[in-house]
Amino acid sequence: YSETMELHPFVEEVLVSQDQLAKRVAELGQQISKDYEGAQQLVVICVLKGAFIFCADLIRAISGVPVRSEFLKVSSYGVSTESSGTVRIDLDLKQDIEGAHVLIVEDIIDTGLTLSHLLELLSLRKPASLNICAMLRKPTQAKVKVDAKYIGFDIPPKFVVGVGLDWSEKLRELPYIGVLKEAMYKH
């Protein structure tokens, strides 16, 4: 988002601009590259659908470490605006992660319930290491503690869209993180 870009009519305000996000992704990429220096491979698990844009940008920001991409699709939201707490795996990993260094890339940590469940599930597959990188975190919404090693931005408990985050499958394409107008989802 820049001053010349027009705000989407469903968006109340921009929380994270395109430039802020690009800068933070570069920083995260550098930190991850440093932390996994010397590793034979880093398995990056993109949690679909919300994390796909952030994950692609992040992988391009990692250097000096061979990256293998995996995808996992989990359902926890449905069409409401708050995490339901129920987690269902819709698409599982294609390859084994036993003995691998694994980085879960998530769009947003809200209640922590989804990630807590994922960590439990993936740790049973015996990876050498298991860490989390989340684009966004809503610290005030946490119901369970999830230790995420890499966080893009802490944000207030507002419904956000853009950069892969959606509202009923809409607005994922926005290049910034914006707050959805309350009138859009509260009737």
Side-chain angles (χ1 to χ4, degrees):
Y1 177 79
S2 67
E3 296 304 316
T4 57
M5 181 183 280
E6 204 168 300
L7 203 58
H8 190 282
F10 293 175
V11 174
E12 185 179 301
E13 67 174 310
V14 172
L15 277 187
V16 181
S17 73
Q18 192 172 1
D19 291 343
Q20 289 171 307
L21 189 61
K23 182 178 185 280
R24 187 67 184 123
V25 166
E27 293 167 356
L28 289 167
Q30 284 180 340
Q31 186 61 52
I32 291 165
S33 301
K34 186 174 163 253
D35 291 352
Y36 289 96
E37 190 177 356
Q40 270 191 313
Q41 184 181 62
L42 175 62
V43 178
V44 174
I45 298 176
C46 176
V47 181
L48 297 173
K49 292 181 186 175
F52 81 101
I53 294 173
F54 173 64
C55 189
D57 291 344
L58 185 67
I59 286 173
R60 288 191 299 261
I62 296 171
S63 61
V65 183
V67 172
R68 182 179 104 207
S69 301
E70 283 284 342
F71 299 90
L72 192 63
K73 185 163 188 261
V74 210
S75 299
S76 65
Y77 276 82
V79 291
S80 77
T81 60
E82 292 179 28
S83 184
S84 63
T86 16
V87 176
R88 186 180 76 225
I89 293 186
D90 299 324
L91 173 71
D92 208 339
L93 306 178
K94 298 294 180 203
Q95 293 183 24
D96 191 15
I97 59 168
E98 187 171 339
H101 293 288
V102 174
L103 181 66
I104 300 169
V105 178
E106 180 66 287
D107 54 0
I108 189 166
I109 300 174
D110 197 333
T111 61
L113 294 168
T114 303
L115 268 179
S116 169
H117 179 79
L118 268 184
L119 284 170
E120 207 174 287
L121 174 80
L122 294 175
S123 65
L124 294 174
R125 299 179 188 190
K126 301 182 179 103
S129 67
L130 185 59
N131 286 303
I132 298 165
C133 179
M135 178 171 62
L136 304 171
R137 175 176 61 185
K138 294 179 182 176
T140 59
Q141 299 301 101
K143 290 185 179 169
V144 294
K145 186 180 180 337
V146 174
D147 187 24
K149 188 168 184 176
Y150 311 99
I151 299 291
F153 299 90
D154 280 332
I155 62 167
K158 296 183 176 194
F159 193 97
V160 291
V161 292
V163 193
L165 294 158
D166 73 301
W167 164 62
S168 298
E169 295 298 324
K170 297 174 192 78
L171 307 176
R172 288 186 197 277
E173 73 281 2
L174 297 178
Y176 53 81
I177 304 294
V179 176
L180 186 67
K181 287 181 178 173
E182 219 173 274
M184 299 310 303
Y185 60 90
K186 288 205 173 162
H187 308 302

